[in-house]
Amino acid sequence: MKKIIWAVVLLVMNVNPIWAQPQGNDQYQTYSPDGIPFRVANQDWNPDSLGNHRAIVEVAGNTDGKVAVATLKWRRPDLNPASKDVFVYTEKGQKVENVCCVKCDAEEGTIYFEAIQGGGKYYLYYLPYHMRIGWGEGRGEPNWNDYYQYDSAKGEKWLNSVNAKDATAAQVIAFESRNDFEFFSQMGNIATAEETQHLLEQHPENPIIFTEDRCFPIRLTRQMPVRWAMEKPSESFQGIAHRNEYYVWQIALWAARQGLEDVKVRFSDLKMQGSDHLIPANELTCFNQGGLNWDGTRLYHMIKIPEGRIQSLWCGVQIPEKATPGEYKGIVTITAKGMEPRQVDVRLTVKDQILTEKGDNEPWRLSRLRWLDSSIGLDDHPVAPFSAMKLQGKTIKATEKSMTIENNGMPKSISVNGHEVLSRPIQVELETNDGTLCMNGGKLTIQQQADGLVCWTSLCQQKGIEMLCRGRMEFDGHVHYDVSLSSEQAIELRDIRFCTQYSTYAQEYMMGAGYSGGLRPKTLEWDWSGPYDSYWMGGAEAGLHFEFRGGTYHGPLISDYKPLPPASWSNHGEGRLCMSGEKEACVVTHTGKKQLNHTPLTFEFALDITPLKPVDTKHQFGMRFYHSPDNTDQAIEKGANVINIHHATKLNPVINYPFIVQEPLKKFIREKHAQGVKVKLYYTIRELTNHVSEIYALKSLGNEIFSAGMGNGAPWLCEHLVEDYRPAWYTSLENNVVDASCVLSPHSRWINYYLEGLRWMLQNYEIDGIYMDDVSFDRTIMKRMRKIMAQYRPEGIIDLHSNTGYSKGPANQYTDFFPYVDRLWFGESFRYNQMRPDEWFVTFSGIPFGPMSEMLQDGGNRFLGTLYGATTRLGCSAHSPAPVWKIWKEFGIEDARMCGYWDKQCPITTSDDEVKATAYLRDGKALISIGNFSESNKDITLHFDWKGLGIKKEKATFKFPEVEDFQPAGTYAEGETIHLPAKEGRFLLITQ
């Protein structure tokens, strides 16, 4: 009898025949286990207080005010169903107050309710929740639970007050989800225990194998989906592909009786019978067992399936564009420890049609999964503005930077633009019981391996101790070191010290190592506490960023990831960093007591020579940002020429997956380009939307892509991902759509996907760049990103936003990104009115490093920001930057030379140390920005270096130009006193 029922079920489901091409929406088709359809509702409803799912039941007439009972075989995947309430409504929308859930488990619920309208239809919403409006942050709310909790005492009290034995049985008509996206599908609803046991009895093998098309992504890992109760296991797969398509499908292994270890997948060639046409095995892959990692190394996953769990194996094959149409057959061999090999027959019918972009333009095809293994942008060649490196003896030259290597492999000299950073070579000292041993000398081997890479090794041996130094320098001035110390005999060391002494050019300012940033303190000691792994010492002309590496995470230390400090440096709390010195600062890193033996002790660190690149003021002042896709014509009239489209907008609705809206976005970009305006998209790595087409494939990779976590969060996540994820950013969009993201693992193949996504948008959307908001990847990825931009959109712009409360000291955290970033937006949590001028310069402006910045928090300070060439972004402050843009444009600031107060050659100074002045110089004229950083009003005078200004004193004329919402017009004569209120400033124009 049951076989007949399932035959009817399959007819009702309207399942595609084996030879049909499944389409992206097939998973949303109606299906009817138990003879009751699960379907998508014809009309959406507001989920607030109702949730996304309901059962429609029919109560017979003549039951007015009596008790009805409905048995709902809902097959729920969510955790703890008994804790969640059930809301009952009449056809007219009246809520039924008296409801009692007698039984409520994953398989079914028995719901008693008062039939207040008598007979007719009732709607039972069985996952009701309170919908959050606006945006929210899931990271800091581990127990996020928006579901209405069931009050069993209330329900039982009512049920005990009535005669439940006479309850009228309600007929269940259908289960509905409010739209496709919320629909559980055949793969999301569970099979019953009885159905599962029946299948187990029929299939004694382990594992039990199923195959699925990409259109039916495997969701569940702990329970069998209802689809498998309706279909038999299958060790064969048949699909239809097109020429040039990257075709994806699934093999599921259910370790029903015993866990599996060391699962491996091996592919044969796909061959066409009766011919020599084939698709070679090396064109097939299983993403679950590894691929090409984010850094270009091979990644191997050990696939382990615990007993009772289901593991989906996502497989893909590249169909050649010139493939001969026809049927290709092959075998997938699956092995595991202690298991006889199992084979899955694969038949792919290749159609004559050629798919453009390998199918990437249609996200449902999931062809973009191949992006996970992309090597785009991975090479050792320089990218603009950097040129090829040169090696001359022991001196390496990289554009404006040079470094000379000592025989021990350590830097002897580091200079930038002719300014020396070090006053002596970096020293490695070992303190033994017999005194201090300096690891100098050694045999150095150095060679240029590419036009963007020079590598060297050195072996130094002293008194039985061996120091092996491996280093490399890249075209942007980034230097990486691995220094290993070992000894043939065990030696107790009192301390290991790395000593770096800075020149007068490179010791004025400091940040990092527990210091927020600004003028260098006279002394500093740091014990590795806090979210720091680096420091910068330097000035406007020369400096050095020093990052202590050796842990598992090398990205910016943002709040999502809190790795332990590298053990070799921190030494379980004994390590210290000490800075001292007057004119020449010395930084010494101490490890404390260590034992050396034949097992090498490795110290990894990285150096970045600053400025990372010259400050290109023409480029910087040429960018005027508007941070919205709305009212763009008005923004353009006010001077904006770069439009950033944030997420949670119509054209870019979800976070970090700007592939949902395509044609309207392309149209918008074409229109803006016609107006001479650039368009950029919010696109970053930190969290990822639940709307990503590949979400279940990514989830099948364990915690490679999605960070491990306790689950919870937005209801969609609880109902579809169920468990083992970390909720992140949440946004409610139009039409009750929710964008609920999850935290991404810091370094994974998703980075490769992200970069290919950038390439795809540059080519298909013709975007002019991206806007990044606190990212977790490292400079290697930034370098790849800039190379992609240089190839597909050379004039493209990358801007980086950061929140100093989220990435403590972003200028320090992101220093090695700055060679490739065009603009900074520092940012949220910056307290501009509380910052000293030196803090502005070091932690905000970007100027010591190469890019320039803009203000955000509370509108910044529109007066003081101008000393650093900074305004807010249009639309992001109560005070528009347009008036300042206007005066800058009238002056021609893009063609001016910026000479800030920090520059020893600045041609203008003030009579008060708390009042600063920056000069923008052009032939025969100067625009002076004056700012009072004090908490008090100031009356000051100006002092001019007329030669430095390039203006003849006797011909000079002065005026305060009128700038709307900034300053009124006024006159000035040399020597006059200027009154400046606290935290305010003025523009002074000098001409001849």
Side-chain angles (χ1 to χ4, degrees):
M1 181 66 183
K2 193 159 188 173
K3 291 182 178 178
I4 296 174
I5 293 174
W6 286 128
V8 173
V9 165
L10 292 175
L11 288 173
V12 172
M13 288 170 56
N14 190 26
V15 174
N16 285 306
I18 192 170
W19 57 86
Q21 169 67 68
Q23 299 294 312
N25 290 328
D26 283 1
Q27 62 178 308
Y28 307 124
Q29 63 193 353
T30 299
Y31 63 100
S32 303
D34 312 303
I36 301 170
F38 282 78
R39 66 195 185 197
V40 177
N42 290 328
Q43 187 174 0
D44 203 340
W45 64 80
N46 188 336
D48 189 28
S49 300
L50 298 179
N52 304 313
H53 312 280
R54 68 186 182 189
I56 304 174
V57 304
E58 182 95 38
V59 176
N62 301 320
T63 58
D64 188 18
K66 296 183 179 179
V67 180
V69 59
T71 300
L72 307 179
K73 296 185 178 182
W74 46 34
R75 302 170 173 269
R76 288 164 55 171
D78 58 299
L79 303 177
N80 305 314
S83 67
K84 303 179 180 81
D85 211 341
V86 176
F87 289 175
V88 181
Y89 283 82
T90 67
E91 279 189 274
K92 294 182 179 180
Q94 183 180 359
K95 186 176 181 181
V96 177
E97 297 297 334
N98 291 322
V99 180
C100 182
C101 303
V102 172
K103 179 183 180 182
C104 188
D105 59 31
E107 291 188 17
E108 65 178 49
T110 302
I111 315 298
Y112 286 83
F113 61 94
E114 185 178 5
I116 59 175
Q117 74 173 8
K121 290 181 180 178
Y122 289 81
Y123 297 90
L124 281 62
Y125 296 88
Y126 54 87
L127 280 163
Y129 62 86
H130 169 66
M131 184 177 180
R132 301 190 180 203
I133 304 301
W135 53 267
E137 179 57 82
R139 291 173 176 85
E141 199 172 344
N143 298 316
W144 179 348
N145 182 3
D146 289 337
Y147 290 104
Y148 287 97
Q149 301 299 293
Y150 176 59
D151 185 347
S152 58
K154 178 182 176 183
E156 290 171 4
K157 180 180 180 181
W158 165 73
L159 191 60
N160 290 333
S161 69
V162 298
N163 187 3
K165 293 182 180 180
D166 294 333
T168 301
Q171 180 186 359
V172 183
I173 298 173
F175 294 96
E176 289 187 337
S177 298
R178 64 186 186 92
N179 55 42
D180 286 353
F181 190 62
E182 305 293 348
F183 190 49
F184 281 128
S185 89
Q186 308 162 40
M187 300 303 296
N189 273 333
I190 67 170
T192 65
E194 180 183 356
E195 292 163 348
T196 303
Q197 183 60 36
H198 178 70
L199 188 139
L200 288 172
E201 291 171 357
Q202 291 183 322
H203 294 273
E205 70 269 19
N206 190 73
I208 300 174
I209 297 177
F210 291 84
T211 61
E212 290 288 354
D213 186 86
R214 59 198 163 183
C215 296
F216 295 94
I218 296 163
R219 304 182 180 195
L220 303 175
T221 59
R222 293 180 179 271
Q223 296 157 294
M224 190 176 83
V226 65
R227 178 176 169 86
W228 293 356
M230 297 186 274
E231 296 185 358
K232 294 180 180 180
S234 175
E235 298 189 16
S236 65
F237 176 79
Q238 181 169 336
I240 298 176
H242 299 84
R243 291 194 291 157
N244 195 45
E245 180 177 9
Y246 192 85
Y247 184 82
V248 172
W249 79 99
Q250 307 164 85
I251 299 172
L253 306 182
W254 181 16
R257 295 177 171 83
Q258 184 178 350
L260 300 175
E261 294 189 7
D262 195 17
V263 176
K264 288 186 171 62
V265 179
R266 188 174 71 253
F267 299 94
S268 74
D269 296 337
L270 297 179
K271 299 179 180 179
M272 181 184 291
Q273 286 188 330
S275 76
D276 58 357
H277 300 306
L278 61 81
I279 300 172
N282 60 14
E283 293 291 350
L284 289 93
T285 191
C286 174
F287 295 101
N288 300 81
Q289 64 182 5
L292 193 69
N293 211 353
W294 63 275
D295 58 358
T297 60
R298 296 303 305 180
L299 174 69
Y300 300 96
H301 281 316
M302 181 72 73
I303 302 176
K304 180 179 180 180
I305 310 175
E307 181 178 344
R309 293 293 188 92
I310 296 167
Q311 174 65 56
S312 57
L313 303 174
W314 283 84
C315 304
V317 56
Q318 178 60 59
I319 309 299
E321 184 174 342
K322 296 182 179 180
T324 300
E327 185 178 68
Y328 291 78
K329 296 182 179 180
I331 293 173
V332 182
T333 301
I334 299 170
T335 60
K337 185 177 180 180
M339 182 189 88
E340 289 294 321
R342 302 277 292 278
Q343 291 186 340
V344 175
D345 295 323
V346 175
R347 289 189 292 165
L348 281 184
T349 299
V350 177
K351 296 293 188 180
D352 189 48
Q353 178 187 353
I354 296 176
L355 282 190
T356 59
E357 287 283 336
K358 303 184 186 300
D360 296 344
N361 293 328
E362 300 176 90
W364 70 266
R365 293 185 183 275
L366 306 187
S367 60
R368 300 179 184 196
L369 281 174
R370 77 184 190 287
W371 291 356
L372 293 174
D373 294 331
S374 173
S375 61
I376 188 170
L378 269 172
D379 62 55
D380 293 318
H381 304 299
V383 64
F386 304 101
S387 55
M389 302 174 71
K390 295 180 181 179
L391 176 60
Q392 298 174 346
K394 299 177 185 178
T395 298
I396 308 165
K397 294 189 175 181
T399 313
E400 295 155 331
K401 301 156 189 157
S402 68
M403 184 168 77
T404 302
I405 309 298
E406 280 276 26
N407 285 335
N408 66 355
M410 302 301 289
K412 177 181 180 180
S413 168
I414 296 175
S415 67
V416 55
N417 294 316
H419 299 300
E420 179 60 50
V421 174
L422 305 177
S423 63
R424 56 176 292 193
I426 294 180
Q427 301 288 318
V428 181
E429 301 175 350
L430 311 183
E431 186 177 341
T432 70
N433 292 327
D434 298 326
T436 298
L437 182 63
C438 296
M439 299 302 292
N440 295 327
K443 183 178 180 181
L444 177 68
T445 302
I446 185 169
Q447 63 179 353
Q448 185 163 351
Q449 296 190 347
D451 57 355
L453 178 65
V454 174
C455 297
W456 62 93
T457 61
S458 172
L459 183 62
C460 172
Q461 295 175 320
Q462 292 196 38
K463 296 184 178 182
I465 296 176
E466 182 174 283
M467 182 175 82
L468 177 61
C469 177
R470 297 185 180 91
R472 67 176 186 264
M473 182 174 179
E474 299 181 35
F475 58 83
D476 60 354
H478 178 81
V479 185
H480 183 274
Y481 271 99
D482 285 298
V483 178
S484 297
L485 294 167
S486 61
S487 174
E488 294 180 359
Q489 297 181 347
I491 299 176
E492 296 290 337
L493 298 179
R494 293 182 176 181
D495 195 12
I496 301 174
R497 297 188 290 269
F498 285 72
C499 308
T500 308
Q501 190 156 318
Y502 293 85
S503 71
T504 54
Y505 280 118
Q507 57 78 50
E508 185 176 3
Y509 300 96
M510 183 182 181
M511 65 177 175
Y515 177 59
S516 61
L519 289 170
R520 176 178 66 87
K522 290 184 178 180
T523 60
L524 181 139
E525 183 171 337
W526 174 54
D527 62 357
W528 291 97
S529 61
Y532 302 100
D533 62 357
S534 56
Y535 73 90
W536 171 78
M537 182 88 71
E541 298 171 317
L544 192 65
H545 186 256
F546 201 121
E547 181 188 11
F548 302 94
R549 299 168 66 99
T552 57
Y553 173 75
H554 294 155
L557 297 180
I558 58 179
S559 294
D560 280 339
Y561 315 106
K562 297 178 176 64
L564 296 174
S568 59
W569 294 103
S570 61
N571 194 19
H572 308 291
E574 291 193 29
R576 291 288 187 276
L577 181 147
C578 298
M579 187 277 298
S580 61
E582 292 294 331
K583 293 183 178 180
E584 294 182 352
C586 184
V587 176
V588 181
T589 54
H590 302 264
T591 66
K593 293 180 180 179
K594 287 274 192 180
Q595 184 181 70
L596 281 188
N597 53 42
H598 64 279
T599 302
L601 179 62
T602 300
F603 296 89
E604 181 185 358
F605 61 93
L607 309 174
D608 287 283
I609 306 168
T610 65
L612 283 306
K613 61 182 177 183
V615 177
D616 185 349
T617 52
K618 185 177 184 66
H619 178 52
Q620 295 293 324
F621 286 113
M623 295 180 287
R624 298 178 295 278
F625 288 84
Y626 177 54
H627 213 68
S628 172
D630 301 322
N631 303 315
T632 54
D633 288 342
Q634 296 178 21
I636 294 168
E637 288 178 5
K638 293 179 179 179
N641 60 9
V642 181
I643 296 172
N644 272 0
I645 302 180
H646 207 273
H647 72 91
T649 58
K650 289 183 179 180
L651 294 177
N652 188 17
V654 300
I655 192 166
N656 298 330
Y657 196 73
F659 311 114
I660 301 294
V661 177
Q662 293 191 16
E663 292 308 317
L665 180 57
K666 290 179 183 179
K667 180 176 181 291
F668 178 86
I669 293 172
R670 286 194 301 268
E671 291 173 350
K672 295 307 121 183
H673 284 175
Q675 294 176 276
V677 174
K678 294 185 176 182
V679 179
K680 298 166 54 266
L681 295 181
Y682 184 106
Y683 190 53
T684 190
I685 286 188
R686 212 178 54 196
E687 62 258 276
L688 183 61
T689 178
N690 59 325
H691 289 264
V692 59
S693 300
E694 301 88 348
I695 192 165
Y696 299 110
L698 301 181
K699 194 71 165 58
S700 79
L701 299 176
N703 299 123
E704 183 197 349
I705 308 295
F706 291 116
S707 289
M710 296 178 59
N712 299 323
W716 191 96
L717 300 176
C718 299
E719 294 165 16
H720 297 276
L721 289 191
V722 184
E723 60 182 345
D724 196 23
Y725 58 85
R726 288 176 60 197
W729 193 257
Y730 168 94
T731 309
S732 62
L733 306 174
E734 292 183 352
N735 302 319
N736 301 312
V737 174
V738 168
D739 179 21
S741 67
C742 295
V743 175
L744 292 173
S745 297
H747 290 102
S748 73
R749 285 181 293 168
W750 185 253
I751 290 173
N752 296 331
Y753 186 110
Y754 172 81
L755 294 174
E756 281 287 355
L758 171 61
R759 185 271 312 161
W760 188 87
M761 291 189 293
L762 293 169
Q763 286 186 293
N764 289 272
Y765 293 164
E766 297 186 350
I767 60 171
D768 298 290
I770 58 172
Y771 162 74
M772 301 188 304
D773 182 358
D774 269 321
V775 301
S776 60
F777 54 71
D778 69 3
R779 68 170 290 278
T780 302
I781 309 310
M782 279 302 310
K783 183 172 60 173
R784 291 174 67 182
M785 190 181 301
R786 177 51 70 186
K787 290 182 177 183
I788 296 166
M789 197 83 76
Q791 180 178 355
Y792 295 98
R793 201 76 172 172
E795 300 302 319
I797 298 169
I798 301 174
D799 63 308
L800 170 66
H801 168 69
S802 185
N803 181 335
T804 194
Y806 186 70
S807 58
K808 304 293 184 183
N812 185 55
Q813 303 288 14
Y814 289 103
T815 303
D816 56 7
F817 281 41
F818 294 161
Y820 310 108
V821 172
D822 294 277
R823 178 60 67 90
L824 306 175
W825 198 13
F826 286 174
E828 289 169 276
S829 301
F830 277 78
R831 305 302 175 189
Y832 305 94
N833 284 331
Q834 299 173 21
M835 292 161 56
R836 304 180 310 273
D838 53 311
E839 287 183 276
W840 275 82
F841 182 59
V842 173
T843 67
F844 164 78
S845 77
I847 292 171
F849 312 105
M852 290 170 65
S853 188
E854 291 171 296
M855 302 175 289
L856 175 60
Q857 186 72 48
D858 302 323
N861 183 305
R862 66 190 190 281
F863 302 103
L864 304 181
T866 62
L867 278 77
Y868 309 94
T871 65
T872 59
R873 291 191 169 177
L874 188 62
C876 296
S877 170
H879 298 284
S880 169
V884 173
W885 290 351
K886 183 175 182 291
I887 187 65
W888 279 351
K889 183 177 180 180
E890 291 172 352
F891 173 73
I893 201 166
E894 291 181 35
D895 297 316
R897 179 169 65 92
M898 183 180 187
C899 198
Y901 68 82
W902 53 87
D903 191 328
K904 302 299 188 292
Q905 305 302 317
C906 184
I908 183 166
T909 56
T910 79
S911 59
D912 193 300
D913 285 342
E914 292 186 295
V915 178
K916 305 295 183 182
T918 291
Y920 299 97
L921 308 175
R922 294 194 65 190
D923 291 340
K925 61 180 180 179
L927 183 66
I928 311 299
S929 179
I930 311 164
N932 177 11
F933 289 83
S934 169
E935 301 287 344
S936 306
N937 298 339
K938 295 284 186 177
D939 293 302
I940 60 102
T941 56
L942 301 177
H943 307 288
F944 302 97
D945 173 3
W946 294 104
K947 183 177 180 181
L949 284 169
I951 296 174
K952 294 182 179 180
K953 178 178 179 179
E954 61 275 12
K955 293 185 177 181
T957 61
F958 305 86
K959 72 172 182 178
F960 293 111
E962 181 178 1
V963 182
E964 181 185 349
D965 195 30
F966 193 97
Q967 69 182 36
T971 59
Y972 172 79
E974 186 180 1
E976 282 186 356
T977 297
I978 300 174
H979 178 74
L980 290 175
K983 302 298 180 181
E984 291 192 14
R986 304 288 293 274
F987 278 124
L988 176 65
L989 181 63
I990 309 174
T991 58
Q992 68 176 19

